[in-house]
Amino acid sequence: MLGIFKPKLPVSDSQRLWVDESFVRLSRLLGADRMMSATVMLPIAEHFPDTYDRSETAVGKMFCRIAERMAVDPETVELDLFEDTENVTSTLMPLVSGKSSSAGGIYSHHDDTKTQVLINTSQLKTPESLVATIAHELGHVILLRPGLVGGDEEDMEPLNDLLTVFLGFGVFNANAAFQFKQFTNNDSQGWSTRRLGYLSQEMFAYALARFAFERGEMKPDWARYLTTNVAAYFQRSLAWLKANGSSLGLG
């Protein structure tokens, strides 16, 4: 006799608990309504109607659109671009997230009046990755600038990743968490991988499932925009929550 299928989570118990507890923490810091009423942003013209041509003007328009969705006044943040080869150091930026010049983005603030977000020009090649990077760095503006979270807290960066899910940008950041690229040219062929952010695809997928579960979205239409691996982890996580989960009581 065949056994009854029991959904299995793609994350460990400790990872699951961290996501759940961190959602509760973000709700206390920002208000649960920020998550419950968030529009899930998608790579569609309705959400990003501006023409994107990799220019600084296009990046600026995208930055402003994302900032407004995240309730950040774009006029209070200085946006700049940097190259991989540039030497961006903590000497120039006393409080920095993403200290390596190979980072997708860098956040810094010197005092209460000057906040800066720098975006690696390598992110301009793919608008979806650019959205994920901007959303992550603007998360620092929300959490670090007012001191809601300490810059030296051990899980500050993962919490900032989770904030992108909390505020509706989880599809972009989950899809960008792991990127696989094949290439062929006249001299060689091969593949490369790149990771963006601090949470794994599995943790992002569980976070998205918890996000949907708390909002009563048992078959969210936005899930079809997830990449293959993330979608599979998401469906497993949502099935587990339906069978075993209870609400966090955020609503």
Side-chain angles (χ1 to χ4, degrees), residues 20 23-28 31-38 166 210-216 246-251:
D20 289 353
F23 268 133
V24 173
R25 182 183 181 189
L26 289 173
S27 295
R28 290 172 178 166
D33 186 63
R34 293 284 295 276
M35 186 186 91
M36 303 304 286
S37 63
F166 190 88
R210 173 55 81 177
F211 173 89
F213 187 79
E214 293 301 312
R215 288 160 47 111
S246 59
S247 174
L248 299 175
L250 305 182

Side-chain angles (χ1 to χ4, degrees), residues 11-230:
V11 295
S12 67
D13 282 343
S14 61
Q15 290 172 327
R16 173 181 62 81
L17 288 171
W18 179 86
V19 170
D20 289 353
E21 291 168 359
S22 296
F23 268 133
V24 173
R25 182 183 181 189
L26 289 173
S27 295
R28 290 172 178 166
L29 291 173
L30 302 175
D33 186 63
R34 293 284 295 276
M35 186 186 91
M36 303 304 286
S37 63
T39 297
V40 178
M41 299 299 289
L42 301 170
I44 57 178
E46 179 184 351
H47 292 168
F48 293 93
D50 306 305
T51 299
Y52 180 72
D53 58 6
R54 302 188 188 182
S55 67
E56 289 191 29
T57 298
V59 174
K61 288 181 179 180
M62 181 180 288
F63 180 84
C64 289
R65 193 169 294 279
I66 296 168
E68 289 165 359
R69 286 285 187 174
M70 297 178 73
V72 174
D73 182 357
E75 295 297 323
T76 65
V77 182
E78 179 183 341
L79 173 67
D80 289 298
L81 303 177
F82 73 96
E83 302 281 350
D84 276 331
T85 55
E86 289 184 14
N87 181 25
V88 182
T89 69
S90 57
T91 301
L92 298 175
M93 301 177 182
L95 178 55
V96 173
S97 164
K99 295 180 181 178
S100 169
S101 61
S102 63
I106 295 173
Y107 162 84
S108 75
H109 71 249
H110 293 272
D111 50 44
D112 292 337
T113 60
K114 185 175 181 181
T115 298
Q116 186 177 29
V117 166
L118 296 93
I119 303 298
N120 193 321
T121 55
S122 65
Q123 298 302 310
L124 273 58
K125 300 175 184 176
T126 310
E128 290 83 359
S129 294
L130 179 59
V131 171
T133 300
I134 292 173
H136 179 89
E137 299 309 326
L138 285 173
H140 289 308
V141 177
I142 294 169
L143 295 180
L144 292 179
R145 184 165 64 180
L148 297 179
V149 175
D152 58 352
E153 292 190 31
E154 185 177 356
D155 66 345
M156 182 270 290
E157 289 288 5
L159 185 68
N160 200 68
D161 267 350
L162 190 66
L163 179 62
T164 65
V165 179
F166 190 88
L167 295 179
F169 285 85
V171 169
F172 285 98
N173 289 72
N175 287 345
F178 182 83
Q179 300 169 2
F180 175 86
K181 182 179 180 181
Q182 291 179 302
F183 65 87
T184 302
N185 55 40
N186 293 333
D187 302 315
S188 61
Q189 62 180 10
W191 56 271
S192 64
T193 62
R194 183 174 185 178
R195 180 172 176 175
L196 185 67
Y198 294 80
L199 295 183
S200 65
Q201 285 185 316
E202 293 89 341
M203 288 188 72
F204 263 120
Y206 174 73
L208 282 166
R210 173 55 81 177
F211 173 89
F213 187 79
E214 293 301 312
R215 288 160 47 111
E217 298 177 299
M218 297 302 113
K219 292 184 178 180
D221 184 63
W222 49 259
R224 62 192 175 97
Y225 290 93
L226 297 172
T227 58
T228 302
N229 284 349
V230 177

